[in-house]
Amino acid sequence: MRSRVKVICRGIVQGIGFRPFVYQIAIKLGLTGFVRNQGDAGVLIVAEGLKKVLLKFVASLKFDKPYLAKYEDYQVTWSSFQDEFSIFEIQKSSKRKIGGVSYLPPDISICEKCLSDMKNRKDYRFKYPFTSCAICGPRYTTITKLPYDRPNTTMIDFPFCESCSKEYNDPLDRRHHAQTTCCIRCGPILSLHNKNGEKLELQNIFKEISKLISEGNIIVIKGIGGTHLACSVNNDETILKLRTRKGKRKYKPFAIISSSIIDVKKYAKINTSEEEIITSHRRPVVLLEKKEPFPLSKWIAPKLFNVGVMLPYSGIHSLILDEIKDPALILTSANPSEIPMYIDNDEILENAGELADYFLLHNRRIFQRADDSVVRYANDNPVLIRRSRGWVPEPVKLPFNLGKFSSLGVGPLLTSTGAIAKTNRCFPTQFIGNVDTLETLAFLEAAINHMTSLLDVNSYDSIGSDLHPNLLSTRLAEKYKKEYDAQLFRIQHHHAHAVALMLDNKVPKKEEIISIIADGVGYGSDGKIWGGEIFHNSYTEFKRIGHLEEQPMIGGDRATFYPIRMVVGILSKRFSENELSDLLLNNYPNSLPGGENEIQVVLSQLNKGINVFNTTSTGRILAASSALLKSCYERTYEGEPAIILEALARKGRLGKIGFDLPERNSGIINTTSMLYQAYEHLISNEQPADIALAIHLYLANQFADSAIDYALSNSIKKIGFTGGVAYNDIITRQIAKKVNAANLEFLQHKSLPCGDGGISSGQAIIAALKAKD
């Protein structure tokens, strides 16, 4: 009996070799019909043949799909045989839409077959750095609009040569309908330029780059979705020069790239889970524990126990690394601090001349920049520090459906993203950075607009922004409010964190949880600076049931850069002004850049209450502890004192030091007593590492005990941990241990960053649900 079947596939089904896969199965089974890309990133399949054969076809589509394909919806409709087709074909893409939610895959790292082609002297793609196929290469960073066809990508500038055209049009070739495929005869080309912009004529550009790097030069490398600065991992002088040129990079760690796991193991420890993710098609930077002694320059990641490592995800990186003798290269974004990564050739040559000595460029446009994603393991689980290349534009699935509602979150101030919530998905943009300049604000707006276009969102019903009234992102939210006549909701920072955690763990819509939110700063509902919070919350409401003790920030924001100011404020509750003066002058004379004069200014500010603000920030407590233990007196990058404190605590001996536990007062966690006891241990010549570990465990236990007591008293089954401090393995592991021991479920991030990169998703969801209600 003959029949007809229509299959609608939604999800990641364009840009991953799906149509050739469908075609090959249909031809093998002797079916007729077609497969076609639709205008909203879905795929439509219609096939005719014997019913029993069609059943095999449908089963194969479902279970044998390409490894990158992901079905969000798989709809099969049967009807009577119509004898409409004589062959099975891949039809030209349609602008028509099939509805539902589909989306492109992210940029995909170069596959092993393409690497093999590049290294095969007999292949006409030998050493061609832009080699790709239907299952690898750029996607998100090259597409300009849907459907995903070559004319709708930046590859429109590169018409096929005869050989590439033949492969592209051959349904049995692995480059069939590979939109970024090309070769040396028809594709983008690399060129090396000096600081004056003059092109250098070279026989082997990769050998020359290796030579220049070995001589101590810094090289701009324009890659697939962004531009990097590269230099030696062993030349201290060059690395320090790079730090100076980048600005605000005195100690901030650099990522490094190696050609293989074999090379990685020369300088870092890597376990099976870490190896699995670093070699995946996403190819993120993964924070790995350094080997001791660390054989590379100490200036790559000063004072830290780990180092960010990635493997090559493009032919460009792979071919350069083939010529490098060292086990790795430094690879960091090509931009001054606080400015988005440069991606346009003219812009690179004009603005990056102060950063680099030479420029490796190519003539393919990057339509959307995407920084490297960064992953760290905490409590034995991978958590995203930065969600960008390799992930975006993949969504996070929601545990409920918003129906026809579309909602936008514009993010906070730091390490920001935007996010779009639609039906039962939330789509974060790529990493934007700190939205504190007009350049990053423009980048945020461009990223949101591009994602809006790809998702075919015509209007927003609701918009979520931060509660803080003076953020640039709030200005953007107000602009969108007017443009779309949408409802605008100002959302408390830590509630957005908590909701991002809930949707990341598929918490049902009506369920409530206990959220521990620990970070550096967030504008509180009372107008104060929050950052060490325990909430009883749902998706739309929260109750602040506990928090760290309020502590004075002497000098306001300056206390975040020089944490000894926090130490003074906290210990002032136990010491007189004269005692504090003696303590600082005798034990911490170099803790402030102004020396003794600034110490006296700090004490005067505290005494007179000038420019002193209270905060419950966990970040400030960890930073104060770091300064107290003389680990870090100056914050030169976000989270530095706390990160260095964790590195110190890892060397501590468990149980060597404990703190007396003061009674909790109305949910307030005492941090004055903790810091005072830490100081007493320090002047008693206890080991700083032991004290650092005790501080971590004290905070973790206090947070966990408060949350557990409330949860058990109120029949709440789930306790989660989020915020930037949730990257800390010691604190996360201890909270999880205590929550699990209480027979409660511990929630940890899976697909969204713990830090502020997840805020926009929380904002979008809260705004949508409040607007709907």
Side-chain angles (χ1 to χ4, degrees):
M1 177 182 173
R2 295 193 171 194
S3 189
R4 178 185 178 103
V5 67
K6 180 171 78 172
V7 182
I8 294 175
C9 301
R10 302 182 182 95
I12 299 182
V13 287
Q14 289 190 20
I16 41 81
F18 186 73
R19 288 177 299 169
F21 156 74
V22 175
Y23 175 87
Q24 290 170 25
I25 296 173
I27 293 300
K28 182 179 179 181
L29 295 175
L31 302 175
T32 60
F34 68 87
V35 57
R36 182 174 70 211
N37 276 351
Q38 299 297 107
D40 53 2
V43 169
L44 174 64
I45 304 163
V46 176
E48 291 188 336
L50 292 172
K51 180 71 177 278
K52 64 179 182 180
V53 178
L54 287 171
L55 287 169
K56 289 182 180 179
F57 176 66
V58 170
S60 188
L61 290 179
K62 190 168 185 178
F63 298 112
D64 301 328
K65 65 183 186 296
Y67 79 102
L68 289 173
K70 183 184 292 185
Y71 296 148
E72 302 289 355
D73 187 26
Y74 182 78
Q75 182 179 325
V76 179
T77 306
W78 294 92
S79 59
S80 59
F81 179 71
Q82 298 179 23
D83 198 18
E84 183 180 349
F85 313 105
S86 59
I87 61 171
F88 194 94
E89 62 180 336
I90 299 177
Q91 287 190 352
K92 183 179 179 181
S93 297
S94 170
K95 293 183 179 180
R96 295 180 63 185
K97 299 167 185 177
I98 56 176
V101 177
S102 293
Y103 46 92
L104 285 175
D107 286 10
I108 305 163
S109 66
I110 187 168
C111 70
E112 290 300 321
K113 289 183 178 180
C114 285
L115 280 173
S116 179
D117 291 342
M118 283 170 41
K119 296 180 181 182
N120 181 0
R121 290 183 176 274
K122 297 180 180 179
D123 195 291
Y124 70 97
R125 289 189 175 86
F126 176 62
K127 288 197 174 182
Y128 181 61
F130 300 94
T131 299
S132 67
C133 68
I135 64 164
C136 73
R139 299 292 189 271
Y140 178 71
T141 57
T142 188
I143 189 170
T144 57
K145 61 181 179 180
L146 289 172
Y148 179 64
D149 290 319
R150 195 177 181 95
N152 296 336
T153 73
T154 58
M155 290 302 291
I156 192 175
D157 302 330
F158 303 96
F160 283 130
C161 66
E162 184 178 345
S163 298
C164 288
S165 179
K166 182 179 178 181
E167 290 175 336
Y168 182 86
N169 290 296
D170 180 358
L172 300 180
D173 195 284
R174 82 173 206 274
R175 292 192 170 95
H176 180 53
H177 283 210
Q179 308 305 339
T180 59
T181 189
C182 53
C183 72
I184 190 63
R185 295 189 285 264
C186 64
I189 56 172
L190 286 173
S191 56
L192 187 63
H193 304 256
N194 62 21
K195 287 178 78 75
N196 298 321
E198 298 166 340
K199 181 181 175 182
L200 307 181
E201 299 298 332
L202 301 163
Q203 283 191 334
N204 190 324
I205 201 167
F206 303 108
K207 279 188 178 295
E208 182 66 18
I209 289 169
S210 173
K211 175 175 171 289
L212 290 171
I213 287 174
S214 68
E215 291 172 348
N217 291 290
I218 298 168
I219 314 291
V220 158
I221 300 174
K222 183 181 177 184
I224 299 304
T227 309
H228 292 96
L229 296 167
C231 72
S232 167
V233 290
N234 285 315
N235 189 322
D236 288 353
E237 183 180 348
T238 300
I239 297 170
L240 291 172
K241 180 170 62 176
L242 176 61
R243 291 193 172 281
T244 301
R245 290 181 180 183
K246 283 273 287 184
K248 298 184 180 179
R249 290 299 292 254
K250 187 174 180 181
Y251 297 119
K252 188 175 182 179
F254 290 129
I256 58 179
I257 186 169
S258 289
S259 63
S260 68
I261 292 294
I262 293 173
D263 279 335
V264 172
K265 289 180 177 178
K266 293 176 181 177
Y267 57 82
K269 300 176 182 178
I270 184 167
N271 61 35
T272 303
S273 297
E274 292 164 337
E275 185 170 336
E276 184 177 334
I277 196 166
I278 203 173
T279 58
S280 72
H281 69 277
R282 302 185 189 278
R283 293 291 168 98
V285 174
V286 180
L287 299 190
L288 301 176
E289 184 179 350
K290 293 177 181 176
K291 280 190 171 178
E292 293 295 344
F294 187 57
L296 310 180
S297 171
K298 68 178 182 180
W299 292 108
I300 293 172
K303 300 184 180 181
L304 303 184
F305 68 89
N306 53 15
V307 61
V309 182
M310 62 180 150
L311 296 180
Y313 54 88
S314 78
I316 299 171
H317 301 127
S318 181
L319 290 168
I320 290 172
L321 288 166
D322 283 347
E323 302 293 340
I324 299 293
K325 295 179 181 178
D326 290 332
L329 279 179
I330 285 178
L331 207 64
T332 187
S333 58
N335 56 286
S337 296
E338 314 307 334
I339 299 294
M341 183 168 47
Y342 298 133
I343 55 175
D344 176 77
N345 286 1
D346 291 339
E347 183 183 45
I348 293 168
L349 289 170
E350 181 179 351
N351 296 312
E354 296 180 358
L355 300 175
D357 304 304
Y358 291 89
F359 305 83
L360 180 65
L361 306 178
H362 60 74
N363 58 338
R364 180 167 67 191
R365 289 177 293 131
I366 297 172
F367 191 72
Q368 279 286 309
R369 60 172 64 80
D371 287 83
D372 298 315
S373 295
V374 183
V375 173
R376 184 193 171 175
Y377 275 75
N379 189 36
D380 298 324
N381 293 305
V383 287
L384 280 156
I385 296 175
R386 182 192 294 166
R387 187 183 189 274
S388 202
R389 176 190 54 76
W391 268 269
V392 175
E394 287 183 11
V396 176
K397 190 173 182 179
L398 306 179
F400 44 80
N401 199 310
L402 298 175
K404 295 182 179 180
F405 252 69
S406 292
S407 185
L408 171 65
V410 297
L413 172 65
L414 303 176
T415 60
S416 191
T417 62
I420 296 167
K422 176 182 178 182
T423 64
N424 61 343
R425 300 289 186 275
C426 185
F427 294 83
T429 69
Q430 69 269 43
F431 170 80
I432 303 298
N434 296 347
V435 186
D436 54 4
T437 65
L438 293 179
E439 289 88 351
T440 49
L441 180 65
F443 178 25
L444 173 62
E445 184 174 5
I448 289 173
N449 291 344
H450 185 53
M451 190 75 82
T452 299
S453 173
L454 292 182
L455 295 175
D456 194 32
V457 175
N458 297 314
S459 180
Y460 288 106
D461 302 285
S462 57
I463 297 168
S465 68
D466 198 89
L467 188 62
H468 195 294
N470 299 323
L471 301 187
L472 288 177
S473 57
T474 301
R475 186 191 306 176
L476 180 62
E478 291 167 348
K479 176 181 176 180
Y480 283 128
K481 175 184 182 295
K482 292 178 182 177
E483 181 178 344
Y484 294 110
D485 191 26
Q487 296 184 68
L488 176 59
F489 296 89
R490 307 293 175 87
I491 293 161
Q492 202 280 320
H493 184 94
H494 299 98
H495 187 211
H497 265 308
V499 168
L501 179 66
M502 291 176 76
L503 68 92
D504 213 356
N505 286 274
K506 310 296 183 290
V507 175
K509 184 178 177 181
K510 294 185 178 181
E511 189 170 346
E512 299 175 355
I513 70 167
I514 305 301
S515 299
I516 302 168
I517 312 107
D519 63 3
V521 60
Y523 192 78
S525 302
D526 56 3
K528 294 182 179 180
I529 304 166
W530 292 5
E533 312 305 313
I534 306 174
F535 286 177
H536 173 190
N537 66 277
S538 65
Y539 278 102
T540 56
E541 305 293 336
F542 73 91
K543 177 184 177 183
R544 192 187 192 199
I545 59 173
H547 57 81
L548 296 187
E549 175 187 0
E550 287 189 356
Q551 298 292 4
M553 293 176 62
I554 305 172
D557 201 41
R558 190 167 175 81
T560 69
F561 292 98
Y562 299 101
I564 201 71
R565 287 171 168 264
M566 289 299 307
V567 175
V568 175
I570 296 168
L571 293 185
S572 69
K573 298 177 181 181
R574 294 294 183 94
F575 293 117
S576 68
E577 184 176 342
N578 287 335
E579 288 172 327
L580 281 173
S581 179
D582 289 342
L583 183 153
L584 292 171
L585 292 173
N586 292 330
N587 298 321
Y588 303 94
N590 301 315
S591 59
L592 290 167
E596 182 176 346
N597 288 337
E598 187 170 354
I599 288 173
Q600 297 307 323
V601 169
V602 169
L603 293 171
S604 177
Q605 281 183 298
L606 177 65
N607 184 45
K608 297 176 181 178
I610 299 173
N611 199 22
V612 177
F613 303 90
N614 286 334
T615 181
T616 59
S617 165
T618 313
R620 299 290 73 78
I621 295 300
L622 292 171
S625 302
S626 195
L628 182 83
L629 298 179
K630 304 181 180 181
S631 295
C632 183
Y633 288 144
E634 179 188 9
R635 192 203 83 187
T636 66
Y637 60 89
E638 194 67 33
E640 179 182 8
I643 293 168
I644 291 175
L645 185 72
E646 182 190 4
L648 179 64
R650 286 171 56 89
K651 301 175 184 176
R653 295 168 293 179
L654 190 64
K656 185 68 176 177
I657 289 176
F659 296 144
D660 295 333
L661 300 179
E663 290 185 12
R664 287 196 298 274
N665 179 19
S666 301
I668 298 174
I669 297 171
N670 190 314
T671 50
T672 300
S673 174
M674 180 202 77
L675 202 75
Y676 177 71
Q677 291 181 72
Y679 175 70
E680 286 193 317
H681 282 295
L682 185 67
I683 62 176
S684 298
N685 294 319
E686 299 284 2
Q687 290 297 312
D690 296 336
I691 303 170
L693 178 58
I695 289 168
H696 279 73
L697 296 178
Y698 175 89
L699 290 172
N701 290 334
Q702 290 288 292
F703 273 132
D705 290 345
S706 295
I708 291 166
D709 289 350
Y710 186 94
L712 294 176
S713 298
N714 291 272
S715 301
I716 296 173
K717 305 298 183 185
K718 296 174 181 176
I719 296 177
F721 185 36
T722 184
V725 178
Y727 293 123
N728 185 299
D729 180 55
I730 299 171
I731 294 176
T732 303
R733 190 179 295 274
Q734 183 66 11
I735 292 175
K737 179 182 176 182
K738 299 209 75 169
V739 169
N740 292 330
N743 292 317
L744 298 171
E745 183 180 351
F746 178 70
L747 305 183
Q748 186 177 356
H749 278 285
K750 298 177 173 67
S751 303
L752 291 171
C754 305
D756 285 4
I759 290 279
S760 60
S761 295
Q763 290 173 341
I765 298 307
I766 296 169
L769 294 178
K770 282 181 175 287
K772 283 175 67 69
D773 292 343

